[in-house]
Amino acid sequence: MKVLVIGGGAREHALCRSLSLDPDVTALHCAPGNAGIAETAQVHPVDALDGAAVAELAASLDADLVVVGPEAPLVAGVADAVRARGIPAFGPSAEAARLEGSKAFAKSVMASANVPTARSYVCTTPAEIDAALDAFGAPYVVKDDGLAAGKGVVVTPDVDVARAHALACDQVVIEEFLDGPEVSLFAVTDGETVVPLQPAQDFKRALDGDQGPNTGGMGAYSPLPWADPGLVDEVLRTVLQPTVDELRRRGTPFSGLLYAGLAITSRGVRVIEFNARFGDPETQVVLARLKTPLAGLLHAAATGSLGSFPALRWADDAAVTVVVASHNYPGTPRTGDVIEGLDEADAVSDAYVLHAGTARDASGAVVSAGGRVLSVTATGAGIPAARERAYEAVALVRMRGAQYRTDIAAGKE
């Protein structure tokens, strides 16, 4: 199988790494990729939002499968353009990807499918915003209706901060605060059959102790020893399958990766949000534990044959990933800083470095090229062992202004 992955972050590096380990993959390509992905796959320049360009590249490579990683290309219809050329694509249509592209649309789907979620209001005027904030009270949860690269949500006790964020959005969803720990659960689906993966938990705040601003994610771990053993089956029954069934009923079947961000509240499981693609950084730890070859699973989803696919196999090991970010992230990050120690970090037992925002400068050195720069990932017999190896590898990475949390997965065993 010849596979083309679209994207250039740590999620795509994790996907490429797993695909490269699949014996059925005979050629692996990525566009546009990054400095780390280039070590694993042949990289190609492409505008990931240009469906025609992506489809043309896939056709020129004689690809058997295109895996669209990030949300923006999915919402832009890149998977549709690839499928229109007769090439199997893993990723939902632009219409189905509205499940992530519009939080208001997602709320509508959940209401129709009777999926448990937070009560909410969709607001477009200052008066509506004030009424919604007053109705729910603190802490306030304010979500930009559109895509915001993981940074469109504000959770705050300060009504002025909440109102300012809401007024900066064209359309905003204001909802009740959900108490309890958060869980990320991915599911692969062909539009009918839904195959859940193993749950993970990520850390969204920038600083230790869940302090600081929200980010795209500063680390993650899997499995979740504290979670109810029946959680995955419950979410499949009450959230994932009903959502996929409702989208199919609406004539916009969802094929690809359905990501449910969940809150385990005192009143039961509630959906915080849906994403239409693998999450970052949770993908890094979930794929680290998946023993089933990845290409066959994604191809089955892309070709409507998931119903006959064998049950997934998982490693008993735990996995932990720690994000190394650039100076000033999640504000405007500084880029161009040289990254050293990558080979030493990769040499740590059961650890490896996945690149996110990296590139090579004119001299060939690997430099930072974004906010989140690396995802240092490790496995071990339990979370403490995986965590120790991940931080051992992180300590070997040298980059001016590097920042990372020191408490990822601490106390989760």
Side-chain angles (χ1 to χ4, degrees), residues 17-327:
R17 179 182 182 274
S18 291
L19 289 165
S20 73
L21 299 173
D22 186 333
D24 287 338
V25 175
T26 55
L28 181 59
H29 303 268
C30 186
N34 60 40
I37 292 173
E39 306 280 324
T40 302
Q42 183 177 347
V43 297
H44 305 266
V46 78
D47 178 355
L49 297 177
D50 186 337
V54 171
E56 184 60 38
L57 174 62
S60 71
L61 296 172
D62 197 23
D64 301 300
L65 174 66
V66 175
V67 180
V68 184
E71 59 272 29
L74 291 167
V75 172
V78 167
D80 302 272
V82 171
R83 279 190 282 265
R85 292 291 290 267
I87 302 168
F90 181 80
S93 66
E95 274 294 303
R98 289 178 65 210
L99 200 62
E100 177 170 4
S102 169
K103 293 175 178 61
F105 176 75
K107 287 289 187 182
S108 165
V109 170
M110 284 188 271
S112 298
N114 204 25
V115 169
T117 187
R119 293 180 299 120
S120 64
Y121 295 101
V122 179
C123 307
T124 56
T125 69
E128 290 173 344
I129 288 167
D130 288 341
L133 293 173
D134 187 54
F136 288 129
Y140 303 97
V141 181
V142 183
K143 300 180 175 182
D144 189 334
D145 182 54
L147 295 179
K151 290 174 280 189
V153 179
V154 165
V155 181
T156 177
D158 188 326
V159 68
D160 292 329
V161 172
R163 190 173 191 272
H165 181 64
L167 290 171
C169 305
D170 291 333
Q171 180 165 279
V172 67
V173 174
I174 297 174
E175 63 184 39
E176 67 175 326
F177 176 77
L178 297 175
D179 63 334
E182 294 185 14
V183 172
S184 300
L185 185 62
F186 302 159
V188 173
T189 177
D190 59 6
E192 293 191 23
T193 300
V194 181
V195 177
L197 306 187
Q198 289 285 297
Q201 187 176 56
D202 75 334
F203 296 77
K204 291 187 173 63
R205 297 285 184 173
L207 306 176
D208 285 6
D210 287 328
Q211 301 298 305
N214 261 338
T215 72
M218 294 300 290
Y221 70 98
S222 179
L224 311 181
W226 50 268
D228 187 313
L231 175 65
V232 173
D233 288 341
E234 178 188 350
V235 175
L236 175 62
R237 184 180 71 255
T238 64
V239 173
L240 300 170
Q241 191 70 58
T243 299
V244 169
D245 291 346
E246 171 62 18
L247 285 166
R248 188 174 68 254
R249 187 191 68 77
R250 291 180 177 215
T252 55
F254 187 106
S255 167
L257 195 290
L258 178 58
Y259 165 125
L262 309 165
I264 313 301
T265 77
S266 54
R267 293 167 292 139
V269 174
R270 298 288 186 273
V271 175
I272 301 170
E273 65 175 353
F274 283 125
N275 290 338
R277 39 75 195 182
F278 279 104
D280 184 347
E282 300 97 320
T283 300
Q284 289 84 304
V285 292
V286 173
L287 292 186
R289 301 184 55 235
L290 180 64
K291 293 177 71 174
T292 297
L294 184 60
L297 173 64
L298 303 188
H299 191 267
T303 56
S305 55
L306 205 53
S308 59
F309 195 79
L312 301 186
R313 296 180 294 112
W314 295 92
D316 292 330
D317 281 359
V320 172
T321 194
V322 179
V323 170
V324 178
S326 55
H327 175 72

